[in-house]
Amino acid sequence: MNTDTHAAGADDHHHGDSHAHGTFSTYMLGFVLSVVLTAIPFWLVMSGALPSKQITALVIMAFAVVQIVVHMIYFLHMNTTSENGWSMMALIFTIVMVVIALSGSLWVMSHLNSNMMPMHQMSGMK
Amino acid sequence: MTIAVNPSQTGEPVFYVADEHPHPEGWSTSLGFWIYLMSDCLIFAILFATFGVLGGNYAAGPAPKDLFDLNLVAVNTSMLLLSSITYGFAMLTMQQNKVAQTQVWLAITGLFGLAFIGIELTEFAHMIHEGATPQRSAFLSAFFTLVGTHGLHVSCGLIWLVTLMVQVQKFGLIEANRRRLMCLSMFWHFLDVVWIGVFTFVYLLGVLR
């Protein structure tokens, strides 16, 4: 709707209030959700409730992703309409960059590690 | 201002030379600050990638299992989480124009933030005392850089918080101060988001390793 007024060059502006606000109930809901989503991974690791380490690792990573989304929605008030969608565009661009940087680094460096000659073998070659 | 050349009968091209229309002060601040936060996110992504690559290189030194006390990390995490919700309450009371209550919630947020920094520094001091310094191994260098950068952000947030409390005390909840408080709220919640990554990937997965 802001785009329309821009295009028309009209005098009335609605810029100031395009940022979303929370209410008491959304803040509390976000808080309760993040307490639960924090407590479960800590409990899983500290008690070793799940049989294998791989499963535990995957589960706590999934909890982290869910909690980040909860924080984004309930604390940072992300939605697709704030700032005419530009904050969501910036967020998507950043996520793409982060995924490339993280997966690329880990992938390349793990291959480098497994293809390197082990240290003890190298010291034998004099 | 718009200068419009009226179309003439001869089929001459029509030019519009338009200045950008005026905007109220600070109308683009929240988007600009959001883009700053996204660039900050990239800094943390690089530090996380570095930690992910070097996190297993202990150089025969101490491993996460020997160093991290998950109870302490859980307390630390709850400090930051509580400071997030109290900052939310400060924003809600700010919207209702209650200066005194806003100040109280900001002060409580600051105390939780201070407790977080205090616990983190205690943990660092304990580790360094045990010989687990940043120079000991690649894992510890990456750990201190990542967690230290986050702690530095929280410390800057605390300085900002105190500054804004003084501003609100002096000038009240004027439009500019509301905008500043809104930016700090985004900064503060963003740091909590980064901490989710830290406690999951550094502490929990480190102990699990």
Side-chain angles (χ1 to χ4, degrees), chain B residues 13 44 64 90 156:
Chain B
F44 280 109
C156 291

Side-chain angles (χ1 to χ4, degrees), chain B residues 9-155:
Chain B
Q9 310 293 50
T10 54
E12 290 283 304
V14 180
F15 297 104
Y16 289 96
V17 184
D19 282 346
E20 204 185 342
H21 52 273
H23 291 292
E25 190 194 338
W27 70 280
S28 60
T29 305
S30 58
L31 178 59
F33 195 76
W34 180 254
I35 290 173
Y36 156 69
L37 286 184
M38 291 299 100
S39 70
D40 223 13
C41 202
L42 295 181
I43 293 180
F44 280 109
I46 301 302
L47 294 177
F48 271 111
T50 311
F51 184 85
V53 169
L54 300 175
N57 302 0
Y58 309 130
K65 233 178 228 159
D66 316 318
L67 292 171
F68 299 154
D69 176 10
L70 281 189
N71 291 308
L72 200 65
V73 180
V75 172
N76 222 2
T77 305
S78 56
M79 289 298 130
L80 211 56
L81 211 54
L82 283 168
S83 82
S84 249
I85 186 69
T86 55
Y87 202 107
F89 291 153
M91 290 301 282
L92 290 175
T93 48
M94 182 199 83
Q95 282 160 30
Q96 296 158 1
N97 267 320
K98 293 173 180 161
V99 178
Q101 283 190 37
T102 307
Q103 293 283 55
V104 169
W105 282 121
L106 287 178
I108 294 172
T109 307
L111 289 178
F112 278 128
L114 213 57
F116 172 83
I117 290 293
I119 293 171
E120 189 164 286
L121 285 179
T122 315
E123 189 200 12
F124 281 7
H126 183 70
M127 284 171 70
I128 288 170
H129 183 73
E130 285 188 335
T133 59
Q135 294 97 318
R136 182 62 188 84
S137 65
F139 150 65
L140 283 166
S141 307
F143 167 82
F144 276 104
T145 313
L146 173 58
V147 183
T149 305
H150 179 270
L152 208 58
H153 274 76
V154 176
S155 308

Side-chain angles (χ1 to χ4, degrees), chain A residues 1-10 12-15 18 81 83-86, chain B residues 21:
Chain A
M1 117 201 143
N2 274 356
T3 330
D4 293 338
T5 50
H6 268 267
D12 55 329
H13 288 291
H14 311 282
H15 294 305
S18 57
T81 52
E83 310 290 347
N84 291 325
W86 284 110
Chain B
H21 52 273

Side-chain angles (χ1 to χ4, degrees), chain A residues 34-43 45 60-61 63-65 67-68 71, chain B residues 48 51 68 70 72-78 80-81 116 120 143 146-147 150 191-208:
Chain A
S34 29
V35 167
V36 171
L37 292 168
T38 305
I40 294 174
F42 268 95
W43 172 75
V45 173
I60 65 172
M61 280 194 270
F63 270 105
V65 171
Q67 199 186 346
I68 287 173
H71 274 244
Chain B
F48 271 111
F51 184 85
F68 299 154
L70 281 189
L72 200 65
V73 180
V75 172
N76 222 2
T77 305
S78 56
L80 211 56
L81 211 54
F116 172 83
E120 189 164 286
F143 167 82
L146 173 58
V147 183
H150 179 270
L191 290 181
D192 208 0
V193 171
V194 174
W195 184 254
I196 298 171
V198 172
F199 80 70
T200 304
F201 290 98
V202 176
Y203 289 101
L204 292 182
L205 287 182
V207 170
L208 211 58

Side-chain angles (χ1 to χ4, degrees), chain B residues 143-206:
Chain B
F143 167 82
F144 276 104
T145 313
L146 173 58
V147 183
T149 305
H150 179 270
L152 208 58
H153 274 76
V154 176
S155 308
C156 291
L158 281 175
I159 296 170
W160 190 2
L161 186 83
V162 173
T163 315
L164 280 189
M165 284 179 70
V166 174
Q167 288 264 12
V168 171
Q169 201 59 48
K170 265 189 123 166
F171 303 108
L173 288 169
I174 55 172
E175 194 52 44
N177 277 345
R178 286 167 180 270
R179 194 167 65 236
R180 290 163 188 153
L181 283 170
M182 200 262 302
C183 284
L184 180 56
S185 128
M186 287 158 75
F187 187 70
W188 201 260
H189 294 310
F190 167 74
L191 290 181
D192 208 0
V193 171
V194 174
W195 184 254
I196 298 171
V198 172
F199 80 70
T200 304
F201 290 98
V202 176
Y203 289 101
L204 292 182
L205 287 182

